[in-house]
Amino acid sequence: GAVVSQHPSRVICKSGTSVKIECRSLDFQATTMFWYRQFPKQSLMLMATSNEGSKATYEQGVEKDKFLINHASLTLSTLTVTSAHPEDSSFYICSARDRAQRGNTEAFFGQGTRLTVV
Amino acid sequence: DAKTTQPPSMDCAEGRAANLPCNHSTISGNEYVYWYRQIHSQGPQYIIHGLKNNETNEMASLIITEDRKSSTLILPHATLRDTAVYYCIVRGTSGTYKYIFGTGTRLKVLA
């Protein structure tokens, strides 16, 4: 299947700093990418939909000023956690769907980024 | 998108078939059923999807009831590496194509 790559896979940062996570579609173009957050022993929670060339759409309760999303090209979306705090520590996962495929095709997920804020 | 209901956990003996059920009683006509699994600390892995006909690939089979209100994912010969959380998701073919994850089923394959 198609490959979605996230970088970094793990990051530790100090409280108050910002962290950027990259999501790349390696062998396909994605008009839309999705960002999820997952806390231990919980399911994935959709945070936002990243749209190439336009503003991201955030799910209810997700602070757009804290979680900055940029989708500047058809193969790259970035999530920046600004002024990170320990409660932002989580597993962040992106997904993307090949824009060349029909509407019923599957999306592919990155391997995830483990963020620890100390 | 329709809500799905899955049992929280299941055990299966290695080498036996694992049958994972999913209820999606509010599914609408253009919504597909997707199955993904997540092995600890990894991103979800696509398994299979279908609309109304049964589907089979190299990983699994998907059986969808005639009324489409439920489905079953079948892993024909479970191995220890199939231990994971399995998610059943219903999604339409228009709009943003986003997936809304439920709680999933934690499958444990026993030696």
Side-chain angles (χ1 to χ4, degrees):
Chain A
V3 177
V4 174
S5 177
Q6 277 184 246
H7 178 79
S9 56
R10 289 180 177 271
V11 58
I12 300 173
C13 72
K14 291 185 177 180
S15 186
T17 62
S18 296
V19 174
K20 180 185 285 187
I21 302 169
E22 293 186 347
C23 177
R24 293 181 185 275
S25 56
L26 296 187
D27 50 2
F28 64 96
Q29 293 182 329
T31 310
T32 304
M33 293 184 176
F34 303 92
W35 287 96
Y36 295 82
R37 180 167 58 179
Q38 185 176 34
F39 293 108
K41 298 193 182 302
Q42 293 187 23
S43 185
L44 284 76
M45 185 194 79
L46 179 65
M47 300 175 65
T49 302
S50 170
N51 304 299
E52 187 269 336
S54 65
K55 291 183 179 180
T57 304
Y58 291 81
E59 296 297 305
Q60 191 171 9
V62 178
E63 301 175 56
K64 64 176 74 174
D65 294 330
K66 181 166 183 62
F67 299 99
L68 301 180
I69 291 172
N70 183 278
H71 193 153
S73 79
L74 289 171
T75 59
L76 174 64
S77 175
T78 60
L79 169 69
T80 301
V81 183
T82 63
S83 187
H85 292 285
E87 57 266 30
D88 298 322
S89 298
S90 188
F91 193 50
Y92 292 86
I93 307 168
C94 70
S95 76
R97 188 181 149 275
D98 188 345
R99 73 167 187 160
Q101 298 300 313
R102 296 195 321 273
N104 63 333
T105 54
E106 66 274 23
F108 298 94
F109 287 79
Q111 73 273 34
T113 296
R114 176 78 56 193
L115 170 64
T116 303
V117 184
V118 298
Chain B
D1 292 332
K3 181 181 173 62
T4 61
T5 305
Q6 299 176 253
S9 64
M10 293 179 66
D11 289 342
C12 175
E14 189 178 20
R16 304 296 295 269
N19 297 286
L20 293 94
C22 179
N23 285 316
H24 30 79
S25 58
T26 58
I27 193 171
S28 61
N30 67 343
E31 290 181 318
Y32 282 71
V33 180
Y34 291 81
W35 283 83
Y36 283 78
R37 71 181 182 185
Q38 186 180 26
I39 296 170
H40 181 64
S41 295
Q42 297 181 23
Q45 176 190 22
Y46 167 77
I47 301 173
I48 199 167
H49 74 281
L51 181 64
K52 54 184 178 181
N53 297 321
N54 297 337
E55 302 286 345
T56 296
N57 62 21
E58 64 278 3
M59 289 183 69
S61 294
L62 173 60
I63 309 298
I64 302 174
T65 58
E66 192 169 342
D67 63 8
R68 302 209 323 122
K69 293 183 184 301
S70 66
S71 60
T72 301
L73 178 74
I74 301 172
L75 307 178
H77 305 287
T79 70
L80 298 178
R81 289 177 297 179
D82 292 321
T83 293
V85 178
Y86 287 77
Y87 295 100
C88 165
I89 303 165
V90 170
R91 196 200 73 189
T93 56
S94 60
T96 60
Y97 307 107
K98 62 185 179 183
Y99 291 133
I100 303 299
F101 282 78
T103 53
T105 295
R106 188 172 297 275
L107 175 69
K108 187 174 183 180
V109 180
L110 306 173

